[in-house]
Amino acid sequence: MKKTVRAKIHWGYIALALAVAVGGFAGLWLTRRQAPTPYAQVQFAAAERMQWAEEVLLGVVEAEGIAIEETDLNGTGLIGPEWTPLTTTSGLIEAKRTSLDPNFAALLVRYFKEAGLEAGDHVAVGASGSFPGLLIATLCAATEMELDVDVIASFGASMHGATRPELNICRIMRIMRENGVVDYGLLAVSPGGDNDYGESLLFPEAREVIAALAAEEGVEFIDYNDLEKSIARRLELFGEDVDCFVNVGGASANSGTSAYTLDFPNGLVTDPPRIPTTANRGLMYEYAARGVPVINMLNVRGLAADNGLPYDPVPLPQPGEGGVYYEIAYHAWIAPLTVALIVLVLAVGRWKPARASQARG
């Protein structure tokens, strides 16, 4: 019977193959470079649009004699007082100032592109008044990309947000739309705050103030004092055909009040964590459960750090500044060449011992 000869690879060839693999990986790493995103021009245009929006809003602030807060180091007019009838919770002034960087609009373009959105796609936006900068960025990016945007806004805002009744979050949006900066549809408004009901211990008149502001908008006023009903009504108004949901701030109807609320990641989320089944889980989890991409805009420090944007900059950066316009690129030929060399080394190593065994036989 003819003896079968098993080809074995000498350890030296295995070591050489490993060396080639390490060298290839090192080559990829050392030659990596920053390259503009394929949509950098759209990002830049969105950032310019946001800068324009802030100029328009500042013009209204100055024309109406609205006081600019001392904490508004960049003089935007979009940093509100700490306590007013619209204030719901505490808030970080540094985060509020950071969110007014016009390059956050470029970040929203990036998120929309990574979510696969195209012109005409339907974006549902749930926003509180806590971060007017992030809502401005969202609307500017969506307008630049010609997305179909519907908004349901809550008047409540954390400290330093859109806390002025005379310059609340809905009026900020309206000013931009009337000046042709952004395009959106406002479906409804709500009080915001605990249970989405707008009550305040410091300002007993808070609900009256909010009701008057809601009447000015001429849209549905979601005012149930029942969070589950508030969430359900929002889902009805946005409709079944939603391609992306954006949460701006921490309104309870959007973020939810379940034990899992704080587990929801920051930024673009296409692979959500465990989804609770409770009725108070909020719109972020509701849409995540439906497989809809969700953009969670709340942790501003994290958003800035993850996307190459400065935190609490003075002065505000100009459009086009920041790492958000770039992505890491690698030389495409290094990986296949490395694989080919590894295969060649192992093939030679397998062939030579086989020839040697045959010669001895």
Side-chain angles (χ1 to χ4, degrees):
M1 181 181 293
K2 186 177 179 180
K3 185 177 180 180
T4 302
V5 178
R6 292 186 179 180
K8 296 182 180 180
I9 303 175
H10 191 272
W11 67 267
Y13 288 97
I14 296 176
L16 180 58
L18 288 173
V20 171
V22 171
F25 177 80
L28 277 174
W29 181 257
L30 293 175
T31 60
R32 72 192 190 283
R33 65 197 187 281
Q34 277 195 331
T37 64
Y39 39 82
Q41 290 184 340
V42 181
Q43 290 180 291
F44 182 74
E48 284 192 316
R49 185 178 292 274
M50 182 167 174
Q51 188 179 61
W52 173 27
E54 292 184 3
E55 290 170 355
V56 168
L57 290 163
L58 179 59
V60 171
V61 168
E62 292 175 339
E64 297 184 2
I66 298 174
I68 295 179
E69 298 291 302
E70 291 183 3
T71 53
D72 189 354
L73 301 183
N74 292 305
T76 65
L78 295 173
I79 299 296
E82 284 186 332
W83 294 106
T84 77
L86 300 186
T87 304
T88 55
T89 56
S90 61
L92 295 175
I93 182 62
E94 297 85 359
K96 306 305 170 82
R97 291 194 294 249
T98 300
S99 70
L100 293 165
D101 179 350
N103 295 297
F104 268 93
L107 173 58
L108 265 297
V109 169
R110 183 170 202 156
Y111 285 155
F112 287 148
K113 289 288 188 179
E114 290 178 350
L117 300 187
E118 299 178 349
D121 283 345
H122 184 205
V123 177
V125 178
S128 71
S130 295
F131 289 98
L134 297 182
L135 182 55
I136 294 169
T138 300
L139 297 178
C140 287
T143 299
E144 198 62 42
M145 289 180 61
E146 299 181 351
L147 301 174
D148 179 19
V149 179
D150 284 321
V151 181
I152 297 178
S154 301
F155 288 106
S158 57
M159 292 189 308
H160 310 294
T163 54
R164 300 184 184 94
E166 68 273 25
L167 195 64
N168 62 80
I169 195 64
C170 290
R171 186 168 184 229
I172 287 173
M173 289 192 293
R174 192 167 5 109
I175 289 170
M176 292 190 294
R177 185 171 59 185
E178 289 172 352
N179 283 274
V181 183
V182 299
D183 186 28
Y184 65 93
L186 182 65
L187 300 182
V189 296
S190 77
D194 288 344
N195 217 37
D196 198 22
Y197 197 57
E199 289 183 316
S200 171
L201 293 176
L202 294 178
F203 298 92
E205 74 280 13
R207 280 190 46 78
E208 294 179 9
V209 171
I210 290 170
L213 295 176
E216 291 178 6
E217 296 304 319
V219 295
E220 180 176 333
F221 186 33
I222 301 174
D223 188 31
Y224 295 125
N225 197 18
D226 185 318
L227 187 59
E228 294 179 14
K229 288 184 178 179
S230 294
I231 293 170
R233 183 56 183 151
R234 282 166 164 81
L235 290 170
E236 290 174 357
L237 289 170
F238 282 133
E240 295 295 327
D241 184 21
V242 173
D243 297 300
C244 182
F245 176 72
V246 181
N247 171 56
V248 179
S252 54
N254 301 321
S255 299
T257 57
S258 76
Y260 296 92
T261 294
L262 297 179
D263 293 339
F264 204 92
N266 210 31
L268 174 63
V269 179
T270 56
D271 184 19
R274 179 179 178 183
I275 299 175
T277 58
T278 54
N280 64 343
R281 62 186 180 179
L283 265 65
M284 290 196 299
Y285 277 115
E286 290 288 346
Y287 284 111
R290 291 162 169 76
V292 175
V294 174
I295 299 174
N296 183 22
M297 306 287 285
L298 181 59
N299 181 352
V300 175
R301 182 185 287 275
L303 291 171
D306 292 343
N307 295 281
L309 297 174
Y311 189 69
D312 201 15
V314 179
L316 287 175
Q318 291 297 307
E321 297 179 4
V324 70
Y325 295 90
Y326 299 92
E327 58 188 10
I328 301 298
Y330 300 91
H331 290 292
W333 55 269
I334 294 180
L337 177 61
T338 300
V339 172
L341 288 174
I342 291 172
V343 171
L344 178 62
V345 168
L346 293 177
V348 171
R350 181 183 177 87
W351 175 75
K352 284 196 171 183
R355 289 293 299 269
S357 298
Q358 291 173 1
R360 288 194 298 270

